[in-house]
């Protein structure tokens, strides 16, 4: 099933806001992988900003950028967020208070909502009035592609007319420590929002679909993989291969969104009629196809 993307929002190391002129160049230093500094209150307003964590802020910024010029949304538009474990920092900070705080029983209740895995999805839905299915897919690097399959299922069962897909990951001290222990360096952060509608839309930015089964060699297509393992898994006959981690670093659950940004750049150069995004696990026979 083809989905048309009619709007894109992005918050990456290249700045806040998506631009069709974005040239996703490789980074020179791990210090370049964080989103440029911003003031949450200035960007999102005072309401709720005092308790907003990093992941929630990134998700809200990408959603705002995506929907800023959308005149109206279909009734029942849903939101699906790709995550790893939600905000690792919020969870550990809250847990830490209950363990080492001077009064472990006296935990600020306003901090708790950020600890649940679907906090970002709730924030986005409330702020933009999205009344359709509200879902969080915890899949790490594969989260975005799993979310695409989930959105397709909801569409086929007529539970969804359109969906805002948000792929977000934060760069915080707890995540840095976890990534270093797992050997995933250097890490970055990003949030990418895509407004998806099933079928063809005349003024779309691009169209995208999930494919299953054995993928035939396609020398004309570019392939956007995630990590060295992804590069090794791609056949030499696949055409031009780009590693998303060489541009954005290890961005966890934001991987798929960043892959789409690179895919759009490759398509708009006119050198490739389509771009393939393989599932991160090479043993799973599924991939995403992107065309203008």
């Amino acid at each position: 099933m083809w989905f048309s993307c009619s709007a894109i929002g992005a918050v990456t190391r290249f700045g806040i806001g998506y631009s069709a002129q974005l040239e996703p160049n490789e980074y020179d230093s791990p210090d370049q992988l964080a989103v440029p500094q911003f003031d949450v209150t200035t960007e999102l307003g005072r309401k709720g900003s005092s308790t907003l964590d990093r992941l929630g802020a990134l998700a809200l910024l990408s959603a705002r950028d995506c929907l800023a010029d959308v005149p109206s949304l279909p009734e029942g538009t849903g939101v699906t967020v790709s995550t790893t474990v939600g905000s690792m920092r919020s969870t550990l900070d809250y847990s830490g208070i209950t363990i080492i705080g001077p009064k472990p029983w006296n935990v600020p209740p306003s901090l708790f909502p950020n600890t649940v895995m679907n906090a970002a999805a709730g924030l986005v839905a409330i702020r933009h009035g999205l009344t359709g299915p509200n879902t969080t897919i915890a899949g790490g690097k594969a989260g975005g592609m799993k979310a695409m399959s989930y959105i397709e299922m909801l569409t086929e069962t007529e539970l969804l007319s359109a969906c805002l897909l948000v792929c977000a990951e934060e760069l915080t001290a707890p995540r840095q420590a976890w990534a270093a222990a797992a050997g995933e360096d250097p890490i970055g952060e990003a949030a990418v929002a895509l407004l998806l509608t099933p079928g063809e839309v005349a003024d779309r930015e691009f169209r995208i679909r999930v494919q299953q089964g054995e993928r035939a060699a396609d020398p004309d297509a570019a392939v956007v993989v995630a990590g060295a393992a992804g590069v090794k898994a791609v056949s030499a006959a696949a055409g031009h291969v780009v590693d998303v981690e060489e541009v954005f670093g290890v961005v966890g659950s934001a991987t798929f969104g960043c892959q789409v940004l690179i895919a759009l750049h490759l398509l708009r150069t006119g050198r490739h009629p389509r771009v393939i995004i393989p599932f991160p696990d090479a043993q799973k026979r599924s991939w995403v196809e992107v065309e203008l």
Side-chain angles (χ1 to χ4, degrees):
M1 175 187 292
W2 283 107
F3 286 85
S4 295
C5 178
S6 53
I8 307 168
V11 183
T12 69
R13 72 180 188 88
F14 297 102
I16 298 175
Y18 171 73
S19 169
Q21 285 71 48
L22 171 69
E23 294 189 10
N25 302 316
E26 295 182 8
Y27 65 88
D28 298 317
S29 167
D31 296 335
Q32 300 174 335
L33 297 178
V35 171
Q37 187 174 0
F38 62 91
D39 181 75
V40 174
T41 302
T42 301
E43 293 290 343
L44 296 171
R46 295 182 60 185
K47 187 176 181 180
S49 62
S50 61
T51 57
L52 197 61
D53 62 12
R54 183 78 175 178
L55 183 65
L58 294 177
L60 284 172
L61 285 171
S62 67
R64 181 197 67 180
D65 182 41
C66 179
L67 301 177
D69 297 323
V70 177
S72 62
L73 293 169
E75 184 178 352
T77 297
V79 57
T80 299
V81 171
S82 163
T83 186
T84 302
V85 294
S87 174
M88 189 177 294
R89 173 148 199 175
S90 292
T91 301
L92 293 179
D93 285 353
Y94 187 87
S95 300
I97 295 174
T98 67
I99 297 171
I100 62 175
K103 295 181 179 180
W105 62 88
N106 189 13
V107 182
S110 61
L111 299 181
F112 179 76
N114 292 334
T115 67
V116 297
M117 201 174 295
N118 61 344
L123 289 169
V124 171
I126 291 169
R127 180 161 294 223
H128 296 284
L130 306 180
T131 59
N134 185 302
T135 312
T136 298
I137 303 294
K141 287 184 181 181
M145 291 191 67
K146 290 181 177 181
M148 281 294 305
S149 296
Y150 186 79
I151 292 169
E152 183 175 354
M153 181 194 71
L154 290 179
T155 302
E156 289 175 345
T157 54
E158 300 182 352
L159 295 173
L160 197 65
S161 56
C163 188
L164 181 68
L165 171 60
V166 180
C167 304
E169 191 71 84
E170 65 182 9
L171 176 55
T172 56
R175 182 170 169 255
Q176 285 179 311
W178 174 83
E184 293 192 342
D185 263 344
I187 65 170
E189 65 179 351
V192 179
L194 309 172
L195 182 58
L196 302 174
T197 305
E200 301 289 336
V201 175
D203 57 346
R204 68 175 185 240
E205 296 281 349
F206 64 91
R207 67 176 188 167
I208 188 169
R209 66 176 174 178
V210 179
Q211 296 277 63
Q212 305 286 345
E214 194 70 31
R215 180 166 56 88
D218 188 355
D220 294 330
V223 182
V224 184
V225 300
V231 174
K232 291 179 182 179
V234 174
S235 167
H240 183 53
V241 179
V242 179
D243 182 0
V244 66
E245 293 182 3
E246 293 183 355
V247 178
F248 294 99
V250 180
V251 287
S253 53
T255 296
F256 179 70
C258 292
Q259 287 175 303
V260 169
L261 296 182
I262 294 175
L264 287 176
H265 172 70
L266 294 172
L267 289 169
R268 285 170 175 151
T269 63
R271 292 178 292 178
H272 305 283
R274 62 198 149 273
V275 174
I276 303 299
I277 302 176
F279 196 86
D281 183 351
Q283 295 182 346
K284 292 187 179 294
R285 304 296 183 183
S286 63
W287 71 95
V288 164
E289 184 177 357
V290 185
E291 297 180 355
L292 291 179

